[in-house]
Structure formats: C-alpha cells, structure tokens
Amino acid sequence: MVCIYCGGKTHVGNSRPQKRLNQVWRRRECVQCHAVFTTEEAAELSTSVSVRASAQGAVSPFNRDKLFVSILKAVGHRKTAVDDASALCATVIAKLLQSTVQAAVSPADITRITLQVLKNFDNAAGVQYRAYHSN
C-alpha cells in the first residue's frame, strides 16, 4: 500500500480482524513522511463468490446490495432498520462464506441462511422475509 499523502511506501503498525464485518482494520505509517492513517480491507465478494442457480445453471456474481435490500425490507418495521440490515447482512455473508464449496452458493442456500439469521434476530422479520422468498 502506498501513502495517501505522499505516495511513499507504508508499513503496518497494527492489524485487527473485524469478524462481524468480514474485514481487517490496519494502522499504517508512511516510511517517507511518517504520516499515520487507517485502512480497512475486505474481500471483493462480487469477484470472489458466485451464485449458481443449479448444477448446470447460469452463474452470476454475488451481489451484496441485493441481499442488503431484501434484508432491509424484512426489518423495515424497526427503528434502526438500516443499521440492523447492515449488521445482519454481514452475519449472513459470514455464514455463507463458511458454508461455500469452491466459492459458489445457491440461491436456496442464501435464502435458507438469511431466514435463519433473521428468525434468530427478530421473528417478525423472519416471517416478512419468508413471505417474499418462499418457493
């Protein structure tokens, strides 16, 4: 990584995984100008994980925003709906990544895991999600 101020090389002084957000927080210092700044690193899910409709079906990139919107609709009745949806989305993605085989997930797996997470968080949100995503 290069310095955001002078473009020089940097080294990592501190690094902490953020499991809930699937990110790594790093404190960096520039070797040239000695500026200190923070970075957050996360995997690019749209290029790392694919959604496979069936064994021979079409493959599409994973879309976090699509998942976020569906969760937001389910938790829309809550006062902190956006914050809740963001945290729930991160939880669902973490569980999806734990259950993936060769970086491919099925829409049924996404629905099943999302429903499970929502029901554990707020049963009404789980019912709302199931109403829109039932077969």
Side-chain angles (χ1 to χ4, degrees), residues 27-56:
R27 175 74 69 195
R28 297 181 177 272
E29 182 177 0
C30 178
V31 175
Q32 289 179 322
C33 71
H34 301 290
V36 177
F37 58 97
T38 301
T39 61
E40 291 179 351
E41 299 172 15
E44 182 62 42
L45 295 173
S46 63
T47 58
S48 303
V49 178
S50 58
V51 179
R52 184 179 308 269
S54 66
Q56 293 81 24

Side-chain angles (χ1 to χ4, degrees), residues 63-114:
N63 187 341
R64 181 208 178 269
D65 294 338
K66 187 175 177 182
L67 176 64
F68 175 79
V69 168
S70 69
I71 292 172
L72 182 61
K73 286 179 183 177
V75 298
H77 64 280
R78 299 178 61 85
K79 289 183 180 180
T80 57
V82 174
D83 292 337
D84 293 344
S86 182
L88 289 164
C89 190
T91 302
V92 169
I93 289 171
K95 289 185 179 288
L96 278 171
L97 292 175
Q98 290 172 355
S99 69
T100 59
V101 176
Q102 298 178 346
V105 295
S106 71
D109 289 339
I110 295 171
T111 302
R112 179 181 50 79
I113 290 172
T114 304

Side-chain angles (χ1 to χ4, degrees), residues 114-126:
T114 304
L115 183 59
Q116 177 187 34
V117 168
L118 283 172
K119 285 175 82 175
N120 287 340
F121 178 73
D122 180 350
N123 196 44

